[in-house]
Amino acid sequence: MLPTVILPGYLESAIAYLTLEKFLQQQGFPTVTVPLRRRDWLPTVGGRSMIPILRQLDRVVKEMLAKYGTSQINLIGHSAGGWISRIYLGEKPYVIHGDVMEDANLWFAHPYIASLTTLGTPHTSLERWTRKNLDFVNHGYPGAFYANVRYVCVAGKSVFGQRRRGSWLAYSSYKLTCGVGNTWGDGITPINAAHLEGANNLIIEGVKHSPRSPGIWYGSPVVAPEWVQYLL
């Protein structure tokens, strides 16, 4: 079983993934979550650079490679952590915000990544404050871009977006993400935005977006085996 790294979702802290981390360890995967705190995301708010997150991700990945004497790991990205991970895999310098030089060495990590699993990741967006980052990702690395990486994209099907009480948040979020509000998703990310062409695309019934959501989410032990089986 390869060592595994979890990258939290936007504005989320590592502690929210403790149950998933322990579950993966019980399945035989040495697992650690990038130790982010909510305040670590503040410099990225408003569509700004993800370099602060990439720095922490890169440090943890390098530590796991060294600790276990392996050449590759599994990488799991929840929500925005999924598309940030795609920046990390890619060889194109992520210098679009002008905050690092091309030799920053915080990308071109695909040789170290055996599998990338994204959980409820909005791989597309119409939000103006995320377009700059996501356009960089999707223009540079469309779909399951690297043949040497196993891509697994997991979508949840639990909330149908509608303009009525109880599903208005889902409707608004889906519409901002894919342009259509009346569709299925996990309450935040619509199914069609959570998948990538060429990936192992999964849909799990009843799954909510966040580890803090009531009910089950992607990392709940009752549903996690459906995607954990694809880890290397």
Side-chain angles (χ1 to χ4, degrees):
M1 303 289 194
L2 288 180
T4 300
V5 173
I6 302 169
L7 182 61
Y10 193 60
L11 296 177
E12 193 56 90
S13 59
I15 195 170
Y17 301 85
L18 189 57
T19 299
L20 174 57
E21 189 177 309
K22 289 181 176 179
F23 175 79
L24 290 170
Q25 290 168 350
Q26 291 168 355
Q27 307 309 304
F29 297 96
T31 305
V32 67
T33 303
V34 179
L36 295 171
R37 300 158 296 181
R38 287 191 170 186
R39 65 176 177 267
D40 292 329
W41 292 96
L42 293 180
T44 73
V45 170
R48 286 179 282 180
S49 173
M50 291 295 162
I51 287 296
I53 307 304
L54 289 170
R55 283 199 175 101
Q56 294 211 46
L57 171 60
D58 184 63
R59 176 179 57 79
V60 172
V61 168
K62 298 291 174 55
E63 287 174 354
M64 291 292 274
L65 291 171
K67 180 177 180 179
Y68 292 96
T70 183
S71 61
Q72 289 191 312
I73 64 155
N74 295 308
L75 181 56
I76 299 169
H78 171 235
S79 196
W83 60 257
I84 295 170
S85 295
R86 291 169 64 203
I87 295 176
Y88 183 57
L89 265 61
E91 70 254 39
K92 295 179 175 63
Y94 177 63
V95 294
I96 59 174
H97 296 278
D99 56 341
V100 289
M101 303 295 287
E102 291 192 4
D103 60 357
N105 198 30
L106 295 173
W107 42 80
F108 210 156
H110 70 87
Y112 312 126
I113 309 302
S115 72
L116 171 62
T117 302
T118 67
L119 307 175
T121 292
H123 289 294
T124 61
S125 178
L126 301 177
E127 296 174 324
R128 62 182 178 82
W129 52 89
T130 57
R131 283 289 299 274
K132 187 171 185 177
N133 284 318
L134 273 168
D135 283 353
F136 173 83
V137 175
N138 289 319
H139 293 164
Y141 319 110
F145 190 76
Y146 290 104
N148 58 304
V149 177
R150 175 184 290 180
Y151 289 78
V152 182
C153 298
V154 190
K157 184 180 180 182
S158 58
V159 182
F160 187 81
Q162 298 180 78
R163 285 178 158 178
R164 70 181 191 186
R165 188 175 180 179
S167 55
W168 179 261
L169 172 61
Y171 176 89
S172 301
S173 182
Y174 299 165
K175 192 170 179 63
L176 279 171
T177 303
C178 70
V180 179
N182 298 116
T183 189
W184 281 100
D186 62 14
I188 297 294
T189 302
I191 291 172
N192 60 354
H195 288 165
L196 288 174
E197 185 176 352
N200 294 288
N201 291 314
L202 311 178
I203 299 173
I204 304 181
E205 296 279 347
V207 167
K208 298 288 186 64
H209 182 78
S210 169
R212 300 180 187 274
S213 300
I216 61 173
W217 82 289
Y218 297 96
S220 298
V222 68
V223 296
E226 294 189 40
W227 57 265
V228 168
Q229 63 178 310
Y230 291 90
L231 298 182
L232 296 169

